[in-house]
Structure formats: C-alpha cells, structure tokens
Amino acid sequence: MAITDELESLRIQTLEAISAAASSGDLDQVRVAVLGKSGTLTAYLRGMGQLPKEERASVGKTVNDVRKIVEEALSSRKAELDAAELAAAIDAAAVDVTLPGRSQQMGTRHLINRITDEVCEIFLGLGYSVAYGPEVETDYYNFTALNAPQDHPSRSMQDTFYVLDRSGDASAVKGESDVLLRTQTSGVQVHVMEQQKPPIYIVAPGKVYRRDVADPSHLPQFTQIEGLVVDRGITFGDLKGTLDYFCKQMFGEERKTRFRAHYFPFTEPSAEVDVSCGICHGEGCRMCKGTGWLEILGCGMVDPNVLEMSGIDPEEYSGFAFGVGVERVACLKYNVPDLRMLLEGDMRFLRQF
Amino acid sequence: MKVSLKWLSEYVEIPDDLKAFCDRLDLTGTGVEGVEKLGEQFDHIVTGKVLTKTPHPDSDHLWVTTVDVGTCNVDSDGNPEPLQIVCGAQNFKEGDHIVVAMIGAVLPGDFEIKKSKLRGVTSCGMNCSERELGLSDNHDGIMILPAHAPIGVPFAEYYQLGDTVLDLEITPNRPDCLSMVGMAREVGAMYRVPYDNPLSEMAASLTLCKKETCPGKPVDVTITDPERCKRYTAHVIEHVKIGPSPDWLVERITALGGRSINNIVDVTNYILYLFGQPLHAFDYDKLCSEDGGAHIIVRPAYDGEKLTTLDGEERTLTSDMTVIATPEKAVALAGVMGGMDTEVTEETTKILLEAATFSRAHTSRTSRNLGLISESSMRYERGVDDNPIADISDAACALIIEVAGGKACSKLDCSNGIVDVWEERTEPIHLIFRIPRFNAMMGADIAPEEIKDILTRLGCEVTESEDEDILNVVAPTFRPDLEREIDLYEEVLRLFGMDRIEPTLPGGRGRFGVRTLAEQRKDIIHASLRASGLNETMTYSFADPSELDDLRMSAEALGLGEAVELINPMSADQSVMRQSIIPGLLRSVAYNQSRGVKNVQLYEIGVVFSAAEGRKKPKEREKLAGVLAGSFGEATWNNAPAPFDFFDGKGVVENLCRELCIDKLRFKALATDEAAHLQPGRAAQVLSGGTPLGWVGELHPLAVAAFDAQAPVVAFELDLNALLKAARHARDYVDVPTFPAVSVDVAFVVDESVTNEKMLQCMTSAGGKLLESVSLFDVYRDDVRVGTGKKSMAYALTYRAADRTLTSEEVEKAHEKLVKKVSGATGAEIRG
C-alpha cells in the first residue's frame, strides 16, 4: 500500500477514534497514540528521511495535512467534551438553595443600650455631648443641689436605697445616710455645671435605682437619660421644640407631643411630655388606657436655685432639662411586656434585638 | 385626692364635657388618675308612672301593667311609648310613681333585664323593689315614689346618686389644691370664671353664744416652740350627742373615699376635705386636768416617750416629733394622728376641737419614721395656712352644733369662745413680675391683662407699678410655693396653656456634638464582642453577700475591696453592691440552662463597687465580663460547632485586643491560689506588657455548680479602664510584601511543661529578621509515637526578606540556626 493510502486510512481511523472518545481522558489517549512521541503519525514524520527524495515533498504535505486535520478534530472534540463535562459537573453541583447558609454567629446589643445609643445619636446630631456620673451619689448631688426639699418624700427609706456611709458622718433622719444609689441621672447635671461654663448641651445616660419591687412594669434598677441645656436666651419654646423633634425622631414623624404642667423640684416651670399613641393615633385604646397619649418624659426650665447653687447666674443664663426613662421607651416602641426580661439574660429574648 | 364633681359644682361652674374638663386639668398640672362614675349601676333604670293595672289572664297573682317612662322609651316616630310590664307586686295602684328597670339594666347580683314572656304575656322591664335596686332589704312590694317625683328621668339622677368622682394627682407643691375650695379656685382660674368660698358664711353662722351664760375660759394653750407650731386654736363644745351623721354628710365623706365614723369625726373630715384644714376632736373629759381645765401644751416629744395612736399602735417617739400634751401626758401626735386615750366615743358629751398648723419638716419626718401617713400628715407636710384657722374652726363648730347639738361660743361674740395662740403669723410675700423677661424666657407674647387676670384668679393681689413692664404681686398665704418671681411665671404659663407656646430650637453658635475617645473605644469594644458572637446583657448591680464565696472568688486576690452595704435593701440576696459581674452572668447561664437553652454567650459592661473604711463614697470601676457555655449553636447539616473551652474565651479577648490595637498582649497561667474561681490549668491572666487587664479561664466546676449551672463555663472579666488605657489609635503601617516567601513546617517534640509562649519566644529571637511569622498548626500527644509526658508541636514558619528573593541556602541556614536554638533552650527534638 502506498504511503498516501496508509495515511488516508490512518486519518479515517483517527477521526473515528476522536469522535468515539467519550471523555477528555479517552481523547488524550487518542492524541498520544497518534501525535505522541511514539504516535503513529509521528512515526511517519520521523520516517520521512528514509523516503526517496522525490516522494518526500508530497508525502510530507500529506502527513502535515493529516496532522492538521487530526489536531483540529482533537481540539474541537476537546471543546465539546469540556463543555459537556463542565455542564455535567455544574449539574452535579446543584444544591437546594433553601438549605440554611453557613454563617458565623453575630452577637447582639442589649435593647436598653440600643435605645440609649439611638437617643444619644439624636442629640449628638443637635450638637449635644454625652456625659456620665457615678451611680453612688451623695445626698447633695441627688437631692439638695437639685432643689429637693429636705423632707421630700422621695428621700425616704421607702423610695431611695441608702448606702452604708463608712466615713463616720451621721445623718439627720433615722437610719438614712448621706450616701445613696442615685434615683435619677439629674445629679450629672450638677457635676457638669460645676465643671463647665455655659453653653452646656449634654445628655447623660445611666443606671438609676429606686426601691420598687420588680414586677412587669417596675424594676428597682433601670435606665434614664438626662438632658441639660444652659445657654443665653434659652426659652420654654426651645424646650418644646427640642423634645418635639426628639419624639418625632424616636417614634416617627407622624407622632404628636403634648406638654402637661407638672412639678419637679429642679425645674420651673415643669412639664410631663406625652407622645400620641402609635396604635390608635390619639383615638384612645388599651395601650394608652383610652387617653390617646403615652407619657414619655419629664422636663422643665432649670430652676434658678439649681443654676445658682452650681455657680451660674440665672439672670444671665437660662436652660432646660429633661429625663427619659429608657425602659419606658422599650415598652412603648418594642412592646416589651415584662421589664424583668431586660435583666434575666434569656438568650431567646436577647437575640431578638 | 378624690374630688366629687357634684360637691365641687356647688362652688364653681364645671364644663359639661367631662373628657375636655379632665384634659384641661391634666394640661394645667392636676393629673386625672381616675374617673369614677357613681350611680352607674342604675343605668337603664328610670322613674315611671303606672298607667294601667289589669290582672294577668293566666295567673291569680300577677298583674299586667303599662308604665309611662316619658321619653326613656319611644316608638319609631320618636314619641314616648309606655312599656308593658308584668308585675307580681301587690302594693301599688294606677297612678303610682315607681322605679322601672328597662331592658339592658343590670340589677345587683348580675341580674340582667331582658325582654321576656311571663305566662304568655310580653314583659319589657321590671318594676323594682328597694331590695332589687340594692338600696335596702325592703322587699314588701315595689318602691313607690312620692307623687311629685318626675317621670322618665334616670333613677340615679332622681335619687341624687349620680356623681362623678375624679381621682386627682396633686403635686407636692400645691397644698392649696388638697381641698374642695382650693380645687374650685383652681378650676375658676383654669376657665377664668368666678368661684364661691363658703367659709365666711359658714363661720358667721356660729353665733350661739350669750355672754351672760358663757361658762368662762376653761382652756389654755402653750406652744413651747413656735417653729414647730405657729398657731393653735381650741374650741370647746358642750352637750354634744354623738351619733350617726346625716345622709348628706355620709355621702360627702364616702364620695371622697372616707369612712363615716360618727357625726363629730365626720364633721372634722368634712372640713378637712372642704378647706384642707386638718382638725382633731378630743374628748374634753379625758383631756382635762383635776382642776377641770384643759391645759394644752404643744411640745417636742421626749425621746422614748410612748403614745398609743388612734389606730391602736403604741408608738415610741423621738424628740424630733411633736406632741399635743396635757401637764400629765401626751395625748396626740401633732399633725399626724390623735391619741387613743382621748378619743371621742359614744359616751362623749364635751369636746375640745383643735385647729392648728404644724411644721412641714417635722410632720414629714415623723410620718416617715413611724411609717404613718394620714390625711392630716399629708396636708401638714405640704403646708397648711395659719391665717384662716379661726374661721375654719368656727365653721366646724357651727356644723358640729348642727349635726350633734351642743353649745359653743363664737370668736366674734365672746372673747372666751376660742382659745387662739398665734405665735408666728405667715405674712404674704411681695413679688415683682417682669413681663418682658417672662415673655422672653417662655418664648411667648402674653398680654399684661391676661397675666394679671390669671394671677388674680389664683388669689394674688396684682397692682401695676411705675414701670409698665413690672407688676407688683402679693402672693396669697395659702400658696407657700409662690416665693419667687419664677414661681409666678410657672402659674401664668400653665394657665395660659403650654400648648399655646410655639416650639423652636435653641440657636447658638459654635456648638459641636462630641464623642470622647473613651466612648469611641467603648463602641469598638462592643462591636468586637458582637463580632465574636457574644450577646450583650444587663444584670442587677445588687449582689448577694455570699456570692463571691460561692464563686470561690477571692476579693483580696483580685483587689476587689470590700462589699458596699445597702442600709435598706429589697431582700437579703440583694443587700450589697456587686464586686464582680460574673455572678450575675452565671445566674443568667443557669437561667438559660434550666429552660433548655444550652448555648449561652453573654457579655456585660457595667460598674462594680468597692468600699473601704473611712471612705464616704465607694469606688466605682467599670468592668467588662463575658461567659460562654455550650457552643455557638446546635450542629446543623453543614456545621458542627465545637463545644466551648478555654480557647474560645481567649479568642474573644484576643479579637478584642486586636481591635483596640493593644500591644504586647500576653496570657500568663494563673496558679490556683491566684484564682480559685477558675479551673486549675485553664486559667490565665491577661496582660498588656506588664499591665494586668484581667483574667480569662474556665470557671471552676464547683463554682459553676454553686450557681446551679452546668460546667464547663468559660468566662473572662477585664478592667475597662485598663483596656482603654492600653488601647492605641491604630497600628503602624507595614509594607505589603513584594518578594516571595518560603514556608517551612517543623514539628518539635517537647516536655508537657514547655509552653507555646516559650517556644514562640525562642523561635522569634532565633529567626531574626528573616522569620516573618510563626503559626502553631498542630499539637499531638501519643505515648508510643511521641512519648509519655511529651507533646509534638507543629509550626508553620514563613521566611521572607523585604528586599530580595531568598535563596534556598539562606533559608536553610536560618532554619538550622532556629532549630538548634529551640532545641538548646527547650530540649526539643525534631520529630521526623
């Protein structure tokens, strides 16, 4: 058989083998058998030297043609097989996307601190800074400097936790001491006014303590945020505008506020602030006990006595102060049904926020 | 305080719209805490007139009646339509006026009236007996009203049972509002309408004295300390007859939440409710001395003096308390409660009526120290005006004579009528009111006329001054809270209406909201702990005095100081302030575990307290503490979290310190005596260089068990201040490598006692500049392959030069040096 015929037959066999190859592995075997170092076609190329000169050119061309055809066939078959194999692999890799993802647990922030952050953030935006004070106070900072009368009922052993005074000082009322767990964050006001000259714009969050038995709506330990502004020309209208802005930021633009005259020893005039009920929008429902309003904070213009005691001239400066109960906000905004949950550390509660 | 609107409306006009009235009270500072509608039980019960009465066709004792109830029942055209009612009573006739329970009425015993058929005849209601109405036990027939009784009006209205009682929150600065007359004045000022004060008329009605028969003055009063008692008056009323009070008086007393006792006591309470002046009636005969005279002494109690008060309690008094005494004994606790021995009883015929004022401060302290709060003490501690006392006493006398008979002398007619010792008179306070300053401070523009009107209606005398911007104001003596100009501002603002003030925001320049560095770093701490998977919680600052012992924690070893004791704790297990956050967190672990929640990861930042002898205020330090129990969640289809151990706690601390850029973080094994609360061998002190930051470890199984929790519990507690101090703003920049690194793994077999820290020290010091990093990737123990008491520690070392590609010779040389150094220093052998 002439070489060209041999090559023709090799070409046909090879193309058949290529198209018969079922995997890229099979195909590679075909490639090696034909084009490898000791492949059949490679043998022809190697044997060219033994051919008569006049045949070399035509045989060489035929061999090259065959090689080209084989290479093209290999490459196109390889592409086909690769695509099929990728498709098969992709098919095989399909997952049920509804299976849970793989994630690392993220921790959570306590609801009370989350709300405290929110409140502080609102007032930071209004140019306030955050201040802190001690949880154990003297009678002076918790009551006297805040204009509380010497015999104010809130000073009683029924309402205030007194701490054993280790200094040896005696107190006027039986059993009480000059040292106590602060019942309000208002004492921070006094510390700030003593240390800083107006203008003063601060909020002071912190724990406070009152002798209430823990039940769904009371805790002996809870959280307050005190606000204080002292500057020239501060008006009651400024107090209204500020707290109105705060309530809208905190509870929603559609909420209204109302100011009810009230009495606090350290402010005058004093008011309690209600925000319109978010459930009934003021119509009256169970949430707001039919009133359409929810009590949210206490406030007032800083009493001139308080300013004076802290060395600020009330004829020159005026100011306002307010106190927000954070637990109260938690109840109103997040519907916490029982305040004791805030102190139990139940993971099923904590991880909701 | 309870206020009957029926009573109040005798002195001032009250708007018809109850809701609007309550809202106005709320907004002007008198909180409405409750609204009770008396007579509500008589809804759908009306007066009627029997039109016809015919025998029931199928009964020998029932009657079929038609009853006119006026417009209470109308037909479809709106015309009055009589009701057909089947009735079993026999005591009535056509034309009688009766009481009808219509459909919808609910009679006592939850008996609801419905449309029904009685032996085939429709009945649309019930004709009621007194018993059926719950008025009395009389069931002898239906209630027949007088012929002039109106027809078709609600029974409650006809019987005058209808009243609305408000429960008002009177703020402590407003003693004047603790009375009906005071509230009438307040309502008058709210609505700018006049009110009536019945005092002068009532006082003037006491004119019974005839000089010639006047028995003379049997009473004298001595006040030893005017600071405690400014004024004391005594009236003597003879020949009184103690008995039940008339209905109108009982109704007044009970409407305001009081209890009718007898006519004398009821009058004193009535006057107290009406004018806010506490009174006390003594039985004269039990009070007088042997000479027949009553010698009243108002004096401080003796320390340890005993007095049995009206409630039957024997009280031990102190000199801070004031008593009413005779030369023989104390007879009453001034301003708080009368004494048992001189109580008015059924046998009493002669009374001494006390009307006085007592010091606010002493009354308040007495009341607090004895735990005894009365209607009197509540008013005295807020302030009772001494000026109208004689008039009020006269008014009370007149009323006593009206309801209990007897004789008394009026102060007007007879100098012996009343004994009045007035040591110190409360004078009205003169103030100025600067109108422009007021408006500037309120951010309002309130007209001078309105300001004057408000203040006048509150009882102030207002006159204009030479300066048109300034008003002269004399505050009434019944308003002890009006002492300063600002006090007047408050009055005008609240009655003008806070709702009418325009809301604004403060102006002011150059104001910045600033967060301090400490706050920013605390934010980083919280973020880092949350990123480590921990959940923030809050526990009580109160602690059980034994909890540190239970935890095996040594306050001394950890420098926690002494516990801060509460004088009046809520309970024994919350009687001190916490010295560590761990007990609280451990209780939360137990809380979760006992409810089937096994996986607990908690942290808290909070204050701990420590006391020291001679120091007034305790030291407060902020701590950061965390606990880990279980694992990070249940095993899932593709993830099986490993149970927590020491290294999870340590990892949290490492992450935290990385985020805070804390340098030279070290963990030093803690010996048992340094941290008995931790499991030996799994306890470490956390340090930055030489500065201790706190500890991390597995809590001792016995400590965990003492809190009813299940071990293992990994915990850490760090000093927040130390963390903040050690924190840095950011780490220094290090070039990102441009030349390739060479990695070499090496496993050393060392004694168990050789720590990772020691190995790292050796390697880093021997590796020099070329050693870029060391990472422990395996710790392996095997008695046979590694040897008993030994462990294999496998490290991945990375060599790199910043300025060139390292040659293999360079690496080999450096690595050989390292191995040699480590072997020399630790006795390590290379594991083949």
Side-chain angles (χ1 to χ4, degrees):
Chain A
M1 204 197 290
I3 286 180
T4 48
D5 293 342
E6 287 175 24
L7 284 169
E8 176 60 13
S9 131
L10 178 62
R11 185 185 68 91
I12 291 164
Q13 284 171 19
T14 307
L15 290 183
E16 273 170 6
I18 286 171
S19 55
S23 69
S24 47
D26 290 355
L27 190 66
D28 210 44
Q29 278 177 19
V30 177
R31 185 187 59 79
V32 171
V34 181
L35 298 177
K37 271 186 187 169
S38 47
T40 43
L41 193 59
T42 312
Y44 284 105
L45 280 169
R46 290 222 174 110
M48 288 293 279
Q50 283 133 39
L51 286 179
K53 248 184 190 154
E54 58 279 15
E55 284 181 34
R56 273 187 206 162
S58 78
V59 170
K61 185 176 178 297
T62 311
V63 171
N64 274 328
D65 285 350
V66 171
R67 189 173 76 177
K68 209 170 158 196
I69 288 164
V70 167
E71 276 175 349
E72 273 167 15
L74 276 170
S75 130
S76 93
R77 181 65 184 153
K78 178 148 174 35
E80 270 172 44
L81 287 172
D82 281 354
E85 278 166 18
L86 181 61
I90 286 171
D91 263 1
V95 297
D96 174 357
V97 297
T98 66
L99 286 172
R102 191 182 293 118
S103 66
Q104 195 185 325
Q105 173 175 303
M106 302 287 288
T108 50
R109 182 100 162 120
H110 191 269
L111 178 60
I112 289 301
N113 288 335
R114 176 175 291 262
I115 295 168
T116 303
D117 289 350
E118 237 179 294
V119 175
C120 291
E121 206 64 39
I122 292 169
F123 284 100
L124 274 166
L126 288 173
Y128 290 55
S129 295
V130 185
Y132 300 91
E135 293 179 17
V136 180
E137 273 290 12
T138 54
D139 179 85
Y140 178 79
Y141 284 100
N142 197 69
F143 292 122
T144 308
L146 292 163
N147 209 30
Q150 203 57 47
D151 294 289
H152 196 266
S154 66
R155 290 182 160 187
S156 81
M157 295 279 281
Q158 261 72 47
D159 295 336
T160 299
F161 285 106
Y162 283 90
V163 167
L164 192 66
D165 181 349
R166 308 280 295 264
S167 69
D169 296 348
S171 168
V173 178
K174 187 180 77 182
E176 292 172 17
S177 114
D178 269 351
V179 193
L180 46 85
L181 301 187
R182 65 176 176 190
T183 60
Q184 49 192 10
T185 42
S186 311
V188 182
Q189 277 187 29
V190 184
H191 290 289
V192 170
M193 286 192 286
E194 282 178 353
Q195 287 154 18
Q196 190 186 331
K197 283 197 165 25
I200 294 169
Y201 291 79
I202 56 140
V203 282
K207 286 192 187 115
V208 298
Y209 304 87
R210 286 184 200 170
R211 286 189 85 255
D212 283 318
V213 175
D215 68 23
S217 50
H218 296 88
L219 289 175
Q221 164 184 321
F222 55 101
T223 318
Q224 262 190 356
I225 303 175
E226 187 81 8
L228 173 71
V229 168
V230 181
D231 204 345
R232 286 194 176 85
I234 294 294
T235 69
F236 186 80
D238 292 339
L239 169 62
K240 273 190 77 178
T242 300
L243 294 179
D244 198 51
Y245 171 81
F246 163 71
C247 288
K248 284 184 158 53
Q249 289 288 307
M250 197 70 197
F251 298 103
E253 278 298 326
E254 75 289 356
R255 305 293 276 273
K256 293 184 185 64
T257 53
R258 72 167 186 179
F259 286 66
R260 279 182 292 107
H262 201 69
Y263 168 76
F264 303 111
F266 41 94
T267 51
E268 180 145 9
S270 306
E272 282 187 328
V273 181
D274 297 339
V275 62
S276 58
C277 179
I279 298 199
C280 65
H281 304 288
E283 296 293 312
C285 66
R286 250 180 53 201
M287 175 82 176
C288 57
K289 298 193 181 97
T291 62
W293 297 96
L294 301 164
E295 186 186 327
I296 192 73
L297 48 78
C299 66
M301 302 299 286
V302 181
D303 192 288
N305 285 358
V306 174
L307 292 175
E308 238 165 72
M309 270 189 277
S310 302
I312 294 172
D313 180 3
E315 288 291 323
E316 186 180 355
Y317 291 99
S318 56
F320 60 75
F322 54 87
V324 189
V326 182
E327 281 74 7
R328 175 93 187 131
V329 178
C331 290
L332 297 183
K333 201 174 165 180
Y334 296 89
N335 300 318
V336 174
D338 187 335
L339 291 181
R340 291 172 295 187
M341 299 173 91
L342 296 167
L343 291 171
E344 278 161 352
D346 190 323
M347 292 287 291
R348 297 162 299 182
F349 174 75
L350 295 176
R351 289 195 57 76
Q352 291 180 28
F353 304 104
Chain B
M1 185 189 65
K2 290 195 170 181
V3 167
S4 150
L5 293 191
K6 195 164 143 189
W7 190 0
L8 187 64
S9 63
E10 289 184 11
Y11 313 117
V12 70
E13 194 186 325
I14 298 171
D16 290 335
D17 183 344
L18 181 64
K19 168 117 179 36
F21 179 54
C22 290
D23 277 351
R24 200 71 215 147
L25 282 167
D26 266 331
L27 290 177
T28 53
T30 309
V32 179
E33 295 191 320
V35 178
E36 189 189 351
K37 286 187 180 153
L38 303 184
E40 227 168 15
Q41 72 268 36
F42 296 115
D43 276 0
H44 301 290
I45 299 175
V46 300
T47 58
K49 179 182 173 187
V50 181
L51 295 179
T52 62
K53 174 187 178 188
T54 50
H56 191 290
D58 286 328
S59 163
D60 54 2
H61 67 279
L62 291 178
W63 300 94
V64 179
T65 62
T66 51
V67 182
D68 178 6
V69 291
T71 52
C72 292
N73 189 57
V74 290
D75 64 17
S76 51
D77 295 331
N79 298 317
E81 187 176 49
L83 295 169
Q84 174 173 296
I85 294 171
V86 178
C87 179
Q90 307 302 324
N91 69 327
F92 68 102
K93 58 183 188 300
E94 286 179 2
D96 275 349
H97 290 213
I98 59 166
V99 183
V100 180
M102 300 195 300
I103 291 161
V106 181
L107 295 177
D110 255 346
F111 175 48
E112 192 183 340
I113 303 297
K114 294 175 186 156
K115 187 173 178 173
S116 60
K117 271 190 176 176
L118 285 165
R119 298 202 187 168
V121 179
T122 304
S123 182
C124 298
M126 187 168 107
N127 302 333
C128 303
S129 71
E130 287 189 15
R131 191 172 80 183
E132 282 158 348
L133 291 168
L135 297 174
S136 76
D137 288 337
N138 186 351
H139 196 49
D140 294 342
I142 61 172
M143 194 173 171
I144 308 292
L145 304 177
H148 59 76
I151 295 166
V153 300
F155 177 65
E157 192 179 301
Y158 166 74
Y159 213 60
Q160 297 196 342
L161 289 166
D163 190 4
T164 300
V165 176
L166 302 185
D167 193 359
L168 299 180
E169 182 201 4
I170 306 297
T171 52
N173 59 328
R174 293 298 303 277
D176 63 301
C177 282
L178 292 170
S179 68
M180 300 302 294
V181 166
M183 277 313 300
R185 180 168 46 232
E186 176 73 10
V187 171
M190 274 162 59
Y191 290 103
R192 319 280 201 275
V193 294
Y195 80 103
D196 289 326
N197 188 338
L199 179 57
S200 26
E201 201 183 315
M202 286 174 71
S205 69
L206 183 68
T207 52
L208 297 175
C209 176
K210 297 214 166 42
K211 275 179 191 166
E212 54 275 21
T213 61
C214 188
K217 187 193 268 184
V219 179
D220 57 74
V221 173
T222 313
I223 297 171
T224 64
D225 180 2
E227 195 260 315
R228 294 187 182 216
C229 173
K230 287 182 174 176
R231 187 178 189 186
Y232 193 101
T233 69
H235 247 303
V236 176
I237 309 164
E238 294 181 282
H239 310 302
V240 293
K241 191 168 182 333
I242 312 296
S245 296
D247 288 349
W248 69 265
L249 184 54
V250 174
E251 190 194 320
R252 292 290 194 237
I253 301 289
T254 48
L256 266 55
R259 194 165 53 90
S260 173
I261 296 177
N262 59 44
N263 45 9
I264 304 296
V265 175
D266 287 359
V267 167
T268 61
N269 282 331
Y270 176 82
I271 295 290
L272 170 112
Y273 291 142
L274 182 56
F275 298 113
Q277 169 66 52
L279 300 173
H280 184 64
F282 293 97
D283 183 325
Y284 184 92
D285 295 321
K286 297 176 187 163
L287 187 75
C288 64
S289 299
E290 276 178 13
D291 63 2
H295 311 293
I296 299 283
I297 305 160
V298 184
R299 61 159 170 86
Y302 307 124
D303 275 315
E305 189 172 5
K306 303 257 198 267
L307 175 70
T308 303
T309 43
L310 278 173
D311 54 5
E313 294 273 325
E314 190 190 62
R315 311 277 176 177
T316 304
L317 311 181
T318 70
S319 59
D320 190 52
M321 301 170 182
T322 309
V323 291
I324 312 303
T326 62
E328 293 81 27
K329 62 184 178 191
V331 292
L333 192 52
V336 181
M337 196 173 268
M340 188 90 136
D341 288 351
T342 51
E343 186 184 13
V344 171
T345 62
E346 280 176 24
E347 286 73 42
T348 304
T349 58
K350 186 174 181 184
I351 60 172
L352 184 142
L353 184 69
E354 163 198 297
T357 58
F358 299 106
S359 137
R360 293 165 64 175
H362 284 92
T363 309
S364 167
R365 283 196 299 269
T366 302
S367 175
R368 274 156 68 184
N369 286 340
L370 293 178
L372 182 59
I373 295 167
S374 63
E375 292 278 354
S376 294
S377 72
M378 203 250 286
R379 285 171 175 81
Y380 279 124
E381 72 176 33
R382 286 165 172 77
V384 168
D385 186 8
D386 48 283
N387 284 292
I389 282 182
D391 280 346
I392 292 173
S393 186
D394 272 6
C397 268
L399 198 51
I400 286 174
I401 290 166
E402 185 189 321
V403 302
K407 261 175 64 182
C409 301
S410 150
K411 74 169 193 302
L412 292 172
D413 286 3
C414 174
S415 59
N416 294 333
I418 187 167
V419 179
D420 183 354
V421 179
W422 199 350
E423 295 280 1
E424 200 183 306
R425 195 181 288 256
T426 301
E427 300 291 346
I429 295 176
H430 293 255
L431 299 168
I432 57 156
F433 191 105
R434 290 170 286 174
I435 297 169
R437 183 168 187 269
F438 165 76
N439 275 321
M441 199 165 165
M442 297 306 126
D445 188 14
I446 304 176
E449 291 68 36
E450 191 159 8
I451 294 172
K452 267 185 269 180
D453 186 41
I454 289 170
L455 292 173
T456 307
R457 289 193 185 280
L458 287 170
C460 296
E461 277 174 43
V462 185
T463 49
E464 277 163 37
S465 70
E466 285 166 16
D467 184 340
E468 61 171 27
D469 284 341
I470 296 177
L471 299 173
N472 289 319
V473 180
V474 181
T477 50
F478 56 77
R479 287 296 302 268
D481 59 321
L482 303 185
E483 296 174 303
R484 304 166 299 163
E485 187 181 4
I486 190 79
D487 302 325
L488 300 176
Y489 288 7
E490 176 169 63
E491 294 305 292
V492 177
L493 177 71
R494 71 181 180 87
L495 291 169
F496 170 77
M498 290 179 168
D499 46 338
R500 291 165 68 190
I501 303 289
E502 188 70 29
T504 50
L505 283 175
R509 302 172 168 206
R511 190 166 86 232
F512 310 97
V514 181
R515 312 208 67 210
T516 60
L517 190 60
E519 286 172 67
Q520 293 170 31
R521 286 189 172 154
K522 265 169 95 167
D523 285 352
I524 293 175
I525 293 172
H526 283 291
S528 157
L529 291 166
R530 286 203 298 277
S532 289
L534 271 62
N535 304 288
E536 190 189 19
T537 189
M538 234 183 230
T539 59
Y540 278 112
S541 302
F542 308 113
D544 188 322
S546 69
E547 70 182 26
L548 282 196
D549 285 345
D550 293 344
L551 190 65
R552 304 161 57 89
M553 191 181 258
S554 158
E556 211 184 343
L558 294 176
L560 305 179
E562 289 172 48
V564 175
E565 284 174 61
L566 293 177
I567 294 173
N568 54 341
M570 298 291 286
S571 59
D573 62 358
Q574 294 196 331
S575 59
V576 299
M577 300 305 283
R578 65 182 178 187
Q579 291 160 278
S580 163
I581 300 178
I582 297 293
L585 292 179
L586 201 45
R587 275 189 285 269
S588 289
V589 170
Y591 182 96
N592 278 291
Q593 287 176 339
S594 71
R595 283 160 181 77
V597 181
K598 298 274 171 255
N599 302 314
V600 184
Q601 316 89 18
L602 297 172
Y603 83 93
E604 178 176 356
I605 294 182
V607 171
V608 299
F609 305 81
S610 66
E613 197 55 50
R615 202 167 60 201
K616 196 172 189 70
K617 276 180 66 184
K619 199 174 263 177
E620 295 180 30
R621 276 185 301 184
E622 266 191 297
K623 293 266 185 175
L624 156 61
V627 286
L628 297 163
S631 67
F632 277 121
E634 299 299 323
T636 60
W637 71 286
N638 62 352
N639 190 18
F644 289 130
D645 66 13
F646 173 83
F647 296 101
D648 293 284
K650 184 177 173 185
V652 171
V653 175
E654 284 171 332
N655 268 348
L656 174 68
C657 292
R658 203 204 113 74
E659 287 301 296
L660 289 172
C661 306
I662 289 177
D663 272 340
K664 296 180 195 147
L665 179 66
R666 286 173 52 215
F667 293 83
K668 201 180 107 196
L670 279 169
T672 309
D673 60 342
E674 291 172 304
H677 62 291
L678 296 175
Q679 180 173 326
R682 294 194 164 219
Q685 188 180 29
V686 184
L687 302 116
S688 164
T691 311
L693 302 177
W695 54 262
V696 58
E698 290 183 25
L699 292 177
H700 198 288
L702 293 174
V704 175
F707 284 79
D708 296 322
Q710 285 157 35
V713 176
V714 183
F716 58 88
E717 189 162 39
L718 307 172
D719 189 279
L720 197 79
N721 239 339
L723 277 178
L724 296 178
K725 261 194 191 157
R728 285 200 304 145
H729 189 60
R731 264 175 293 272
D732 297 329
Y733 166 76
V734 178
D735 280 329
V736 175
T738 44
F739 293 95
V742 178
S743 295
V744 182
D745 290 351
V746 60
F748 294 107
V749 174
V750 291
D751 287 345
E752 277 290 357
S753 62
V754 178
T755 63
N756 178 51
E757 187 180 40
K758 174 78 183 160
M759 296 293 287
L760 291 179
Q761 276 169 4
C762 293
M763 283 187 276
T764 43
S765 76
K769 268 189 178 174
L770 295 185
L771 181 66
E772 185 183 66
S773 70
V774 182
S775 160
L776 177 71
F777 67 85
D778 190 36
V779 180
Y780 176 71
R781 293 179 177 84
D782 189 301
D783 284 351
V784 180
R785 291 182 200 166
V786 179
T788 310
K790 304 229 172 222
K791 60 187 173 186
S792 159
M793 304 183 82
Y795 293 92
L797 309 180
T798 307
Y799 293 94
R800 195 201 301 266
D803 54 355
R804 62 186 190 281
T805 302
L806 286 177
T807 62
S808 50
E809 291 75 29
E810 277 179 296
V811 174
E812 271 163 32
K813 205 175 140 195
H815 189 62
E816 261 170 41
K817 185 181 156 201
L818 181 144
V819 169
K820 205 170 151 193
K821 185 90 181 278
V822 172
S823 307
T826 65
E829 283 170 27
I830 295 289
R831 184 156 171 253

